Amino acid sequence: ILLARVNFCCGSSREHAHWALVDFGFRVIIAHSFADIFFNNCFKNGLLPIALDNDTVDRLFAMAQGEQALEISVDLAAQKLVVNGEEIAFDVDSFRKHCLLEGLDDIGLTLQHVEEIKAFEAKKRVDEPWLFNL
């Protein structure tokens, strides 16, 4: 879990930024806000960006500076953080949540429809065979 501040990763929207964070072991980023392209690409790369209000982010940073270690766990299914025993709710789009929980990227989503795709291709081959005689 990476704790960050406002407009995290502004200027780092290319997927290399996400790959670096994932390669380093991060799966969740908590910040007040994110650069738009970066935010959207997070989900495509298995990262969960959690946007919280400034006061909560400031409080988490203060807790991280304290003498007691800051423990944060993420319950994506319930959409809550547990921070040193305290629950903090967060929002996430239901489709993106489903994809993260199921480990689905764009290719995985497409492959869920492989039988429908095969049926479409077979029908197309019958209906318009000239397309396949190249």
Side-chain angles (χ1 to χ4, degrees):
I1 299 171
L2 176 63
L3 185 57
R5 296 255 185 217
V6 176
N7 204 21
F8 181 74
C9 254
C10 178
S12 299
S13 61
R14 289 210 161 87
E15 286 186 302
H16 295 83
H18 307 84
W19 297 341
L21 290 166
V22 170
D23 286 349
F24 200 74
F26 292 107
R27 294 296 178 263
V28 177
I29 304 165
I30 301 169
H32 175 261
S33 59
F34 298 87
D36 287 339
I37 295 171
F38 177 84
F39 180 84
N40 290 317
N41 283 338
C42 278
F43 295 97
K44 294 177 181 285
N45 289 282
L47 282 169
L48 173 61
I50 299 175
L52 299 176
D53 63 86
N54 271 333
D55 290 340
T56 302
V57 172
D58 287 345
R59 194 162 47 85
L60 293 175
F61 268 101
M63 292 168 74
Q65 299 297 317
E67 292 183 23
Q68 181 183 358
L70 179 60
E71 276 189 42
I72 301 176
S73 62
V74 180
D75 185 340
L76 176 56
Q79 293 182 214
K80 68 179 179 181
L81 300 173
V82 179
V83 181
N84 289 347
E86 174 192 353
E87 292 185 2
I88 301 172
F90 64 87
D91 291 324
V92 63
D93 174 79
S94 61
F95 174 72
R96 289 174 164 174
K97 174 180 164 180
H98 165 76
C99 290
L100 287 173
L101 287 172
E102 298 299 320
L104 297 171
D105 59 9
D106 290 344
I107 294 170
L109 285 168
T110 301
L111 290 176
Q112 289 185 319
H113 302 281
V114 72
E115 294 306 317
E116 295 162 78
I117 293 167
K118 286 179 181 178
F120 173 84
E121 289 174 341
K123 183 176 183 327
K124 191 67 128 173
R125 190 174 291 276
V126 170
D127 292 347
E128 301 173 14
W130 62 88
L131 294 175
F132 298 89
N133 296 326
L134 300 177

